[in-house]
């Protein structure tokens, strides 16, 4: 574009110079013609009054010469302006090309751009650091929340298991108080059965009819008590209560309660020799330990 404008200015300058030369040539020719006419009139005795039109011709030629000079000066001024404009355009085009070349080659930015960009970079770095701190805080809070959540879940699981065990124990051992009362009744039945002498249970042919009838009533009553005891034990067993008799077993403090010691040379020391009250288990847990007598250790 700069080169095109420079060429156009050069063409304009050439046209102006041609016009100035044409005007100067016409002015010289007019002045020469006026001089020859003046000489001819003077040689033939002409007066000065006849030179009016010559004077007008002189003035016109002078005017043409002045216009030629002015046009020449105007043309030279325009030429200088055109040349300056063309040089400015060429300089501007060159600077644009250099700038485009620097941008394409990834050249270094100027100090002013660096000063303008540097604060933005520092500000972005500060914002990034703040965001990192916020992210770290959020991560710590999230970790703490996860820990609390795990603890709550563990507590809830423990509570659930504990509640399930308590519900199961309530179902299993809820009858413990009632079973202990029935066990006391069974103990009474056992003592009643044991209180009847064995000889009264035997049938005898001798004796009066009244004695035979009383023996029969006693045997029936004895059998009734034993059947009642057996039925109660069956009911307790169906509900998880079992009776155990540790006679002849080694003494176990978890199952037995030693009431006394006795000498028995036929049994080892620490063996249960006698049971005064039988023991009971409720779902394999001791509901009542057995009251026993333990064989005493032999003295040397």
């Amino acid at each position: 574009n700069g080169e095109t404008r420079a060429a156009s200015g050069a063409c304009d300058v050439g046209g102006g110079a041609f016009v100035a030369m044409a005007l100067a040539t016409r002015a010289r020719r007019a002045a020469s013609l006026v001089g020859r006419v003046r000489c001819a009139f003077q040689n033939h005795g002409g007066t000065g009054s006849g030179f009016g039109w010559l004077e007008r011709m002189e003035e016109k030629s002078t005017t043409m010469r002045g216009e030629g000079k002015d046009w020449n000066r105007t043309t030279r001024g325009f030429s200088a302006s055109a040349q300056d404009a063309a040089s400015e355009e060429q300089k501007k085009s060159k600077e644009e090309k250099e700038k485009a070349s620097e941008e394409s080659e990834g050249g270094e930015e100027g100090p002013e751009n660096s000063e303008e960009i540097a604060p933005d970079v520092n500000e972005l770095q500060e914002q990034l650091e703040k965001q990192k701190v916020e992210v770290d805080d959020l991560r710590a809070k999230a970790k703490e929340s996860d820990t609390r959540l795990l603890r709550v879940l563990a507590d809830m699981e423990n509570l659930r298991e504990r509640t399930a065990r308590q519900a199961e124990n309530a179902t299993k051992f809820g009858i413990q108080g009632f079973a202990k009362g029935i066990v006391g009744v069974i103990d009474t039945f056992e003592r009643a059965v044991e209180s009847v002498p064995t000889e009264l249970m035997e049938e005898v042919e001798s004796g009066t009819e009244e004695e035979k009838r009383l023996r029969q009533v006693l045997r029936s009553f004895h059998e009734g008590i034993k059947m009642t005891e057996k039925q109660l034990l069956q009911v307790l067993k169906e509900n998880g209560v079992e009776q155990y008799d540790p006679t002849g077993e080694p003494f176990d403090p978890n199952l037995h309660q030693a009431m006394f010691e006795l000498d028995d040379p036929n049994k080892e020391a620490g063996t249960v020799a006698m049971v005064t009250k039988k023991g009971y288990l409720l779902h394999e847990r001791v509901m009542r330990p057995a009251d026993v007598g333990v064989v005493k250790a032999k003295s040397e």
Side-chain angles (χ1 to χ4, degrees):
N1 292 331
E3 292 176 358
T4 303
R5 294 192 187 98
S8 176
C11 291
D12 293 338
V13 170
F18 178 79
V19 171
M21 291 175 63
L23 289 174
T25 302
R26 291 179 64 184
R28 285 194 300 271
R29 288 179 180 177
S32 177
L33 180 59
V34 169
R36 286 197 300 270
V37 171
R38 184 184 293 275
C39 290
F41 270 85
Q42 290 177 356
N43 291 329
H44 290 83
T47 61
S49 60
F51 293 103
W53 63 277
L54 290 174
E55 292 174 357
R56 287 194 297 273
M57 288 290 291
E58 259 183 335
E59 290 175 359
K60 188 172 183 179
S61 63
T62 303
T63 300
M64 289 175 68
R65 283 196 301 269
E67 289 177 357
K69 291 179 181 179
D70 293 338
W71 182 267
N72 194 13
R73 285 195 300 271
T74 301
T75 302
R76 284 195 298 271
F78 178 78
S79 176
S81 298
Q83 289 177 357
D84 293 338
S87 62
E88 288 293 333
E89 289 294 335
Q90 289 179 354
K91 185 177 180 181
K92 187 175 181 181
S93 177
K94 185 177 180 181
E95 290 177 355
E96 289 178 356
K97 289 181 179 179
E98 291 177 355
K99 186 176 181 180
S101 176
E102 291 177 357
E103 291 178 355
S104 63
E105 293 176 358
E108 297 180 355
E109 296 179 353
E112 295 181 357
N113 293 333
S114 300
E115 292 178 358
E116 292 178 357
I117 293 174
D120 295 338
V121 172
N122 295 331
E123 185 178 357
L124 290 174
Q125 289 180 350
E126 291 178 358
Q127 292 179 359
L128 182 61
E129 293 295 332
K130 291 181 180 179
Q131 290 180 356
K132 287 182 178 179
V133 173
E134 292 178 358
V135 169
D136 293 337
D137 293 339
L138 291 175
R139 286 179 177 174
K141 291 180 179 179
K143 186 176 181 180
E144 184 178 0
S145 299
D146 290 341
T147 303
R148 290 181 179 178
L149 179 60
L150 292 175
R151 289 178 180 175
V152 170
L153 291 176
D155 293 340
M156 291 298 295
E157 184 64 21
N158 294 333
L159 178 62
R160 186 188 66 80
E161 293 178 357
R162 185 167 60 252
T163 304
R165 285 195 303 268
Q166 290 176 353
E168 184 180 1
N169 292 335
T171 303
K172 287 182 177 181
F173 306 106
I175 64 170
Q176 183 170 352
F178 176 75
K180 283 184 177 181
I182 299 299
V183 165
V185 175
I186 293 173
D187 291 338
T188 303
F189 284 160
E190 287 182 351
R191 286 194 295 268
V193 170
E194 292 174 356
S195 65
V196 178
T198 307
E199 59 272 13
L200 294 178
M201 297 293 102
E202 297 176 356
E203 293 183 2
V204 292
E205 295 179 358
S206 60
T208 62
E209 291 295 330
E210 185 67 19
E211 289 180 357
K212 291 180 180 180
R213 188 179 63 83
L214 290 176
R215 285 178 181 269
Q216 183 64 36
V217 171
L218 184 59
R219 283 195 298 269
S220 298
F221 185 73
H222 187 271
E223 291 294 333
I225 293 175
K226 290 177 66 176
M227 289 179 64
T228 303
E229 179 188 0
K230 185 177 181 180
Q231 189 173 2
L232 288 174
L233 290 173
Q234 183 64 31
V235 172
L236 291 176
K237 187 175 182 179
E238 290 176 356
N239 289 275
V241 180
E242 294 184 1
Q243 185 186 71
Y244 65 93
D245 186 353
T247 302
E249 297 178 0
F251 177 77
D252 187 352
N254 295 319
L255 298 174
H256 311 146
Q257 184 174 355
M259 305 301 293
F260 56 90
E261 290 183 336
L262 53 86
D263 294 326
D264 191 345
N266 298 323
K267 295 181 180 180
E268 295 182 359
T271 303
V272 176
M274 183 182 296
V275 176
T276 58
K277 281 185 180 181
K278 295 179 181 179
Y280 289 88
L281 298 175
L282 177 59
H283 295 291
E284 299 182 356
R285 188 172 76 179
V286 177
M287 186 178 73
R288 191 188 75 176
D291 294 343
V292 298
V294 182
V295 178
K296 186 186 300 185
K298 296 180 181 180
S299 59
E300 296 181 357

